[in-house]
Amino acid sequence: MDSLDDEIPDGDALAVGRRVRALRVERGMTLAELAAAVGRAPSQLSMIENGRREPRLSMLRAIARALGVSADTLVSEEPLDARSALEVALEREMRSPRFRALGLTPFRIPKGMPDEAIAAILRLTGEIDRLRDERQATPEEARRANLELRRLMRAQGNYFPDLERQAAELLAAVGHPGGPLTQRAAGEIAAHLGVTLHYVADLPASTRSVVDLRHGRLYLPHRVSADPRAAMLQALASRVLGHAEPASYAEFLRQRVEQNYLAGALLVPEAHAVAALVEAKRRREISIEDLRDAYAVSYETAAHRFTNLATRHLDIPVHFLKVHESGTITKAYENDDVNFPTDRLGSIEGQLCCRQWTSRAVFDVDDRFNPYFQYTDTGGGTYWCTARVEHSSQGAHSVSVGVRFDDTRWFVGRDTRHRGVSRHADEVCCRRPPEGLAEKWRAGAWPNVATPRTLLATLPTGAFPGVDTTDVYAFLEQHAPT
């Protein structure tokens, strides 16, 4: 009797069924004859051949014996003949949610249907996907997606137990003893997942890394970054999480957040980091810099990871800001009721940060070696923040983590004398110039506006916004093993 877990390895029922049918026809057997040979009803064999039932391994072996081949032949990754490959591709399209969303009813592909007709249908479905990607990639869609994701993160305290569990299981699988993840251990994670690492000088400019799913190869830039583990783990995270090609910008954004979260959980393992943070809280010496240095990660990674763990394990609500040197907020999170500027949809990203806030004030500080601390009085209470400036190809960004005044007692830097007053909800706070200056210069100034490109343009289109897929496919074709 077949066991419940006795299933074919790859689970590609359509391709397996087509191979069974092709071999049966090649040997001149009827469906009834093959069914009799394996002791099953013809209707059951028909469902297997049509890909509507996935045979268990014992059944697959029986079919293989009756056809005079090995079971490996039936689950081989070798391409089917051209006609079968077309039929399998169309069957998959007809079973996809997007096919039904068009109001189309799946149909049985007749033997007499020309190959050209099947190919035309496949090209049309591909074009529909492309047009859908273009329509959804609008700034408003991006703001809505960001807002929904931030609401989810706030409800969860920015802590996701499933991702923490997967990180712990992966670290255990490679025998990681706890503590900081070494570069060698990161390489062992790649090997455990069946992925080989390849450093290249011609990685497509629109990508940080490229995964060849077909051959299990991860391509990374030849020029090693400050932390080569981060890009590698973010790319591997999608494989661990089973991400499929995103069907919407919201799904793309969610996948990216999950990738970054899992990579952070691998670099800064929960159990080890929580023990250190609990001890630091006991000593009233919590420091993002200490977390950064202990795990050899960037300040931004340490800040993100702290927001993952602070509310769940330390009972400390927090907020996080990443602000470009132009003053534009590029990332934000809060569950401590801080009042950030928002647009009419409630989106924070893209808004100007108050120039009195720590995230802007830090740009005027000459000392870039030590962290900058500041208390800021707001209409909703006083907040304390720690901030640093980091540089990237997009320019300088400040990264800050803050808490309510009552929670400041747990942190290094609570004795700072830097103070600010922010009333960003009121336009006179910093967005409107002082009346005297405005009166003097309003008629005598004509600034040449450096208009952000995203102000007038839609977001980059495609399933992976901003990625030049032509470059990616040409790159993979060039580097694929022969």
Side-chain angles (χ1 to χ4, degrees), residues 194-311:
V195 175
T196 57
L197 307 177
H198 302 266
Y199 292 88
V200 295
D202 59 340
L203 196 72
S206 60
T207 66
R208 294 182 62 194
S209 64
V210 175
V211 180
D212 179 346
L213 297 173
R214 181 174 297 172
H215 301 103
R217 295 159 70 95
L218 169 57
Y219 296 101
L220 295 159
H222 184 68
R223 183 176 296 176
V224 179
S225 63
D227 185 359
R229 301 167 302 169
M232 180 205 310
L233 293 175
Q234 286 166 356
L236 293 175
S238 280
R239 190 178 180 94
V240 175
L241 297 169
H243 285 163
E245 182 176 298
S248 66
Y249 186 81
E251 186 177 354
F252 163 77
L253 190 62
R254 177 186 57 78
Q255 288 183 359
R256 190 173 65 175
V257 168
E258 289 178 351
Q259 285 174 243
N260 291 337
Y261 191 111
L262 185 59
L266 292 168
L267 289 167
V268 186
E270 178 181 22
H272 191 271
V274 167
L277 287 170
V278 168
E279 173 60 19
K281 183 182 179 184
R282 186 190 67 79
R283 299 194 315 267
R284 301 191 178 212
E285 292 182 358
I286 296 176
S287 166
I288 307 301
E289 285 73 22
D290 288 352
L291 193 65
R292 174 201 62 187
D293 296 342
Y295 295 92
V297 294
S298 69
Y299 187 83
E300 184 175 351
T301 297
H304 271 298
R305 196 66 181 123
F306 181 75
T307 67
N308 297 151
L309 305 173
T311 303

Side-chain angles (χ1 to χ4, degrees), residues 380-402:
T382 299
Y383 290 84
W384 172 92
C385 300
T386 174
R388 273 194 178 275
V389 174
E390 294 189 327
H391 295 267
S392 70
S393 58
Q394 285 78 42
H397 285 83
S398 70
V399 176
S400 63
V401 173

